[in-house]
Amino acid sequence: MTIRTIPETGSTNADMLLLATQGAEEGLWLRAERQTAGRGRLGRVWTAPPGNFSGSTLVRLRASDPPASTLALVAAVALHDALRVFLPIATPAVLKWPNDVLIDGAKLSGILLERSGDAVVVGIGVNLAHHPDLADRPTTSMAAHGLSVDPGTFADVLADAFARWLTRWRGEGLASVRTAWLSTAHPTGTPLSAHLPDGNTVDGLFDGLDADGALILRLASGARHVIHAGDVFLL
């Protein structure tokens, strides 16, 4: 495991995708002290001023691995583990599908997976010192909760956590990751609204994850609706 730190870049994910084509090995991390063209899921802009964590790592897929898309859950539980090192017990962090970490319902972090061949780049951004004001959702930072976390120290803790969970994902399969994700998610019955890629919206109550890690919503009719992709909001 190697962590490279650079003063500034447009996007650590874009840099890592390039490094992957040049033969970079699994376990490499790239951290930028400032990121000027970061991006989140669904094409969103991700603001990353100095003091926040912006980093990407590389996974080289193997034939025996679980589905690549489930690395989103691996990243989520690893990030949650890393944050718990710094958060007091009285400040719970909660996972929201597929990989957002929330504190008091406000978004603390974001994860973006991008694939090129056998390479999956996992980009993670965490609001350590600053958080943006967004029109569509509340946001927060570690600093907003009175915590001062050094991005370099956080990178070390996160890289260790990700390596552990990647090993379990490979050795034990998705089931152990899914169990860990559910243990740190909002409770069953939490009202959610899922905005789907086709423009439709599905509202329902959180009813867990299926065996492949997809979101299950319990509709008003009592039917269960499985969602494989979408943007999910707490209601």
Side-chain angles (χ1 to χ4, degrees):
M1 183 177 63
T2 302
I3 302 175
R4 297 182 189 172
T5 300
I6 55 177
E8 181 177 311
T9 191
S11 163
T12 58
N13 259 34
D15 293 349
M16 188 64 81
L17 284 167
L18 177 59
L19 290 171
T21 67
Q22 297 171 347
E25 296 183 357
E26 179 174 292
L28 175 64
W29 280 83
L30 183 66
R31 181 179 75 84
E33 294 178 352
R34 181 171 184 263
Q35 188 173 241
T36 60
R39 55 189 186 274
R41 294 180 63 247
L42 306 178
R44 292 192 182 92
V45 174
W46 183 268
T47 303
N52 283 1
F53 174 81
S54 301
S56 300
T57 190
L58 176 64
V59 177
R60 292 286 186 184
L61 297 173
R62 306 172 185 174
S64 58
D65 284 344
S69 61
T70 61
L71 283 168
L73 301 183
V74 174
V77 296
L79 177 55
H80 187 275
D81 276 6
L83 288 166
R84 288 305 328 161
V85 172
F86 302 95
L87 286 167
I89 295 176
T91 305
V94 174
L95 292 179
K96 176 177 70 65
W97 190 87
N99 48 36
D100 283 345
V101 179
L102 309 179
I103 297 179
D104 294 334
K107 183 179 174 76
L108 177 69
S109 62
I111 297 173
L112 176 66
L113 271 62
E114 296 182 285
R115 181 174 177 177
S116 177
D118 73 337
V120 176
V121 172
V122 181
I124 299 176
V126 184
N127 298 329
L128 298 179
H130 315 278
H131 62 277
D133 292 323
L134 301 180
D136 64 339
R137 69 193 68 200
T139 59
T140 191
S141 64
M142 298 290 271
H145 293 271
L147 302 169
S148 177
V149 181
D150 174 71
T153 302
F154 185 79
D156 291 337
V157 175
L158 176 60
D160 284 343
F162 188 85
R164 289 196 307 272
W165 278 106
L166 184 65
T167 298
R168 293 192 65 177
W169 177 76
R170 283 200 166 119
E172 303 171 24
L174 179 59
S176 63
V177 178
R178 176 181 174 275
T179 297
W181 193 98
L182 287 168
S183 72
T184 53
H186 42 66
T188 299
T190 298
L192 300 175
S193 180
H195 299 193
L196 307 183
D198 62 6
N200 289 323
T201 298
V202 177
D203 294 341
L205 303 180
F206 177 60
D207 203 24
L209 306 180
D210 74 2
D212 296 321
L215 174 67
I216 303 173
L217 290 184
R218 178 74 64 179
L219 307 183
S221 65
R224 301 170 88 220
H225 189 90
V226 179
I227 294 173
H228 295 276
D231 203 14
V232 177
F233 297 84
L234 296 176
L235 292 176

